[in-house]
Amino acid sequence: MEQSAKSSRPLVVFSDLDGTITVQDSGCILIDAAIGEARRREFDHLALSGQIQFRDSLRMMWEAVDLTWAQAVAMLDVVQLDPHFVDFVQFCITRSVPVTVLSSGLEPMIEHILSERLEPEYRKHLTIISNGVEVLDRKWTIHFHDDSPFGHDKSLAIRSVKRQYSSSSEVPIFVFIGDGVSDISAAREADILFAKKGKDLEKWCQTNEVPHYTFETFADVISKLNAPV
Ligand SMILES: [Mg+2]
């Protein structure tokens, strides 16, 4: 994308969580503890090559997790937010830009990570749409957001919000920020797409010639959205 992102039209922001808002992938931390990174990558390969559906790979990996909720929460202590994510939320609050977190992760984990690391005024500015989970003793059962092969088709929320504005005189610019394979459906819906440098979403954009900005931290996102015309 060569043109400036700045416009007088209002912005509506959607963002992935793991590997985008957070530096580490919280799901991978727990799944790797259960099955190891190599086995997880095998599941990723099976899903990417279409041998199994993404939702089935997620379900099988989460079913392998053998942790109590307390053990899992303790393991999430290492998860850090992008160093400029708070600045980004403040940027959006100041401009009345809504921010929806679209995640293939599990809602109680996301809530824990965000509420532990963000002041309440920043946390409450974020809407979360994700999968759910039930943890009974050490058994993890994922509850998918929808019936799609992704388990959570991130394009659905964006299309739903777009419909709300379809008859509006001032149609917003829809922004999506992501890093991974689960972000591809949402990426197709974005007017302005940010793909994390060196990750799968950026590679997919390059392969499919999808216009995008590359970012390393949310400072880059702020800078682009704030760029003068
Ligand atoms: Mg991600």
Side-chain angles (χ1 to χ4, degrees):
M1 285 189 176
E2 295 302 321
Q3 77 277 24
S4 164
K6 178 132 183 177
S7 165
S8 58
R9 283 163 61 195
L11 299 173
V12 172
V13 168
F14 298 87
S15 177
D16 171 53
L17 180 86
D18 283 302
T20 300
I21 294 173
T22 63
V23 177
Q24 301 84 359
D25 188 304
S26 62
C28 292
I29 290 171
L30 303 191
I31 288 166
D32 287 358
I35 63 174
E37 182 180 344
R39 184 79 181 115
R40 169 173 57 80
R41 293 201 180 280
E42 284 175 29
F43 274 109
D44 287 346
H45 172 72
L46 289 171
L48 272 171
S49 60
Q51 296 177 67
I52 58 174
Q53 288 191 338
F54 186 69
R55 69 183 287 135
D56 290 330
S57 76
L58 272 182
R59 181 178 51 74
M60 287 187 275
M61 289 191 287
W62 281 112
E63 283 178 355
V65 171
D66 182 30
L67 298 166
T68 65
W69 176 248
Q71 287 171 329
V73 163
M75 291 174 70
L76 298 178
D77 281 349
V78 297
V79 175
Q80 299 166 300
L81 299 187
D82 176 288
H84 297 283
F85 182 64
V86 169
D87 301 334
F88 178 72
V89 179
Q90 182 61 60
F91 170 91
C92 291
I93 291 172
T94 302
R95 289 158 182 76
S96 300
V97 172
V99 181
T100 302
V101 177
L102 299 177
S103 176
S104 296
L106 310 178
E107 194 275 337
M109 285 173 54
I110 297 166
E111 185 59 55
H112 174 79
I113 289 167
L114 293 179
S115 59
E116 288 272 311
R117 289 158 182 76
L118 291 173
E119 295 295 327
E121 66 181 292
Y122 296 123
R123 165 63 194 91
K124 76 173 189 227
H125 190 70
L126 308 175
T127 301
I128 298 171
I129 302 179
S130 69
N131 293 318
V133 70
E134 180 181 31
V135 184
L136 267 181
D137 297 325
R138 308 173 78 90
K139 181 173 166 47
W140 291 56
T141 306
I142 188 167
H143 296 297
F144 287 108
H145 174 265
D146 54 59
D147 294 331
S148 73
F150 297 99
H152 177 196
D153 181 342
K154 297 184 182 185
S155 71
L156 296 177
I158 302 178
R159 290 212 295 267
S160 171
V161 174
K162 278 185 172 177
R163 279 195 295 274
Q164 293 171 27
Y165 286 98
S166 59
S167 58
S168 168
S169 59
E170 197 171 44
V171 178
I173 295 171
F174 294 93
V175 178
F176 183 78
I177 308 156
D179 75 318
V181 175
S182 73
D183 298 321
I184 288 171
S185 70
R188 293 183 188 279
E189 296 292 330
D191 299 315
I192 299 177
L193 172 62
F194 290 92
K196 193 149 190 181
K197 187 179 173 74
K199 303 294 183 178
D200 287 339
L201 181 62
E202 185 196 23
K203 289 174 200 150
W204 176 83
C205 289
Q206 290 166 342
T207 302
N208 294 281
E209 299 184 349
V210 173
H212 65 285
Y213 294 113
T214 298
F215 75 101
E216 292 187 68
T217 74
F218 271 85
D220 301 328
V221 178
I222 295 170
S223 169
K224 277 295 176 202
L225 294 179
N226 225 5
V229 175

